[in-house]
Amino acid sequence: MNAIDDAMWRRSWAFAYEEIEEDVDGPLQAAVFTARFSPYCLHNFGAVHEHIDGPVGVSLDVALDWCRAHAARVEVYIGDRGSFSAGHLKVPRRPPLPAEGNVLKRRRPRGFEWLDREPSDSLIAWTVRLRAHSMTGLDPDERRAAGRAAVATIAAVAGVGAISWSTDPQMPQAFRIRARCLAATSGQAEEALLTAAQATLPLARWRLSVRAEPE
């Protein structure tokens, strides 16, 4: 039995969009797909339309049950898969929702699963990029000396190798270091280089930034 009369049910559309959590500290496009939905329905009374909110933050199965009870056309959007038709009547230009589409869990976009690694996980190789910017005057010789000293301390860290040093002619007060580091998480890899660099690049004079990504 539908929640509304049959004629209204056939004229109505329901929508369920997967909720996404932004990751302000992560790379672009690395938000978390929550596997939770807050569906709503649009009832069409001719010239008058009614917006009805459904349950909040529910699983896809629950959202679909609610949508299908309120409308003949159901559109569902799954964050990393796209939009699908999932009701009694087909939504134009939307493929049918696959049967296995109902099984969802919290997840990262494909390729960003490493953001959820734990310190107890096995070691993997990371490419770590460290940028050092002097907050005081710096001539070319001083920059080279600072870079060599930082490279030497980083090279002494266990699990770190393939170190390179580079400068940017447009930024005479800065240099970059790139290294390969074995660690369980990006945070551990970043901390390893940052701690080593701070031994020769004191924070009172240098501004340091670091980013690690899996190889």
Side-chain angles (χ1 to χ4, degrees):
M1 175 70 83
N2 296 314
I4 55 176
D5 66 81
D6 188 68
M8 184 59 62
W9 176 75
R10 288 181 174 276
R11 292 199 301 270
S12 299
W13 290 55
F15 303 86
Y17 295 104
E18 184 172 14
E19 297 172 359
I20 297 174
E21 292 177 2
E22 298 295 333
D23 186 347
V24 296
D25 296 322
L28 295 176
Q29 308 301 320
V32 178
F33 300 124
T34 66
R36 311 307 291 178
F37 298 77
S38 297
Y40 64 94
C41 179
L42 298 178
H43 286 170
N44 184 354
F45 293 85
V48 179
H49 299 272
E50 181 183 15
H51 178 110
I52 300 176
D53 289 322
V56 176
V58 297
S59 67
L60 180 55
D61 283 338
V62 173
L64 287 174
D65 287 344
W66 185 90
C67 288
R68 289 165 177 164
H70 284 77
R73 289 183 175 85
V74 176
E75 180 173 348
V76 57
Y77 176 78
I78 299 175
D80 51 354
R81 304 180 193 176
S83 294
F84 300 91
S85 177
H88 178 74
L89 299 179
K90 188 178 185 307
V91 176
R93 297 182 297 279
R94 297 289 185 263
L97 178 67
E100 65 274 15
N102 294 22
V103 181
L104 294 176
K105 62 181 180 179
R106 284 178 62 89
R107 64 207 183 279
R108 293 281 185 174
R110 186 174 301 172
F112 289 99
E113 297 87 353
W114 56 271
L115 287 167
D116 294 323
R117 288 180 61 85
E118 298 290 341
S120 58
D121 288 341
S122 60
L123 303 184
I124 64 171
W126 303 84
T127 297
V128 189
R129 295 175 175 84
L130 182 143
R131 182 177 178 276
H133 187 279
S134 174
M135 294 181 286
T136 61
L138 195 70
D139 64 37
D141 289 339
E142 289 176 317
R143 181 166 67 169
R144 281 191 293 272
R148 288 169 181 163
V151 166
T153 58
I154 291 172
V157 176
V160 174
I163 304 172
S164 62
W165 176 83
S166 63
T167 60
D168 183 344
Q170 303 302 316
M171 302 188 68
Q173 302 299 103
F175 63 85
R176 296 182 292 267
I177 293 175
R178 174 174 172 166
R180 184 178 189 267
C181 180
L182 294 177
T185 68
S186 59
Q188 289 177 338
E190 292 168 355
E191 184 65 22
L193 261 70
L194 193 60
T195 299
Q198 288 172 351
T200 56
L201 304 173
L203 296 179
R205 181 177 180 185
W206 294 88
R207 184 168 65 248
L208 305 177
S209 60
V210 64
R211 173 70 73 183
E213 294 183 351
E215 289 189 349

